[in-house]
Amino acid sequence: MIWINVGIIILAIVGLGIYGFSLYKKKISKDVTLMKQLLERFSIRQQTLQTGIDHTTSRIDQIKGNVDHLIAEGKRVEQGGRQLLVEGQRLKKEVEHTAGLKPF
């Protein structure tokens, strides 16, 4: 007889536990669904931001490449200007020598 009472008490406790868990699961399922939606929205925003960051990074790299190219062209033009100056001075001396204005 005592075992029957203990069995009934254990079954009642297990039943209450299962019932409580089912109520908790119903309540938490709404929270889980909301959390999934928020995570999906967050991942979409993250992808959008990452796309913007990638685009901006590529534009910065492109601009940096253009600046490097301009710097290289500026150095080349500067060297060309120096060569023109030297050649102009040499030509001036040659013209003066040819015209007989100055001896070598």
Side-chain angles (χ1 to χ4, degrees):
M1 186 73 172
I2 195 161
W3 293 110
I4 294 175
N5 288 336
V6 170
I8 291 172
I9 292 172
I10 290 175
L11 284 176
I13 291 173
V14 169
L16 284 174
I18 291 172
Y19 180 71
F21 180 74
S22 69
L23 289 177
Y24 179 72
K25 187 176 175 185
K26 284 181 183 177
K27 182 183 181 301
I28 201 114
S29 68
K30 292 177 185 176
D31 293 340
V32 168
T33 304
L34 179 63
M35 187 62 93
K36 285 181 182 178
Q37 288 175 350
L38 290 174
L39 283 173
E40 184 178 342
R41 289 177 188 167
F42 176 75
S43 66
I44 290 171
R45 287 183 182 142
Q46 181 185 13
Q47 290 171 355
T48 304
L49 288 174
Q50 189 62 43
T51 302
I53 288 169
D54 291 342
H55 177 72
T56 303
T57 303
S58 68
R59 288 290 296 149
I60 288 171
D61 290 342
Q62 184 181 20
I63 290 169
K64 184 180 179 298
N66 290 342
V67 168
D68 291 344
H69 179 72
L70 286 173
I71 289 171
E73 285 296 314
K75 289 179 181 177
R76 189 183 66 78
V77 167
E78 185 180 5
Q79 287 176 346
R82 286 183 188 147
Q83 286 178 345
L84 280 175
L85 183 63
V86 169
E87 288 297 318
Q89 290 172 349
R90 189 187 63 78
L91 185 60
K92 179 182 172 188
K93 286 181 183 178
E94 189 175 318
V95 167
E96 286 176 350
H97 176 67
T98 303
L101 299 175
K102 285 191 177 179
F104 266 119

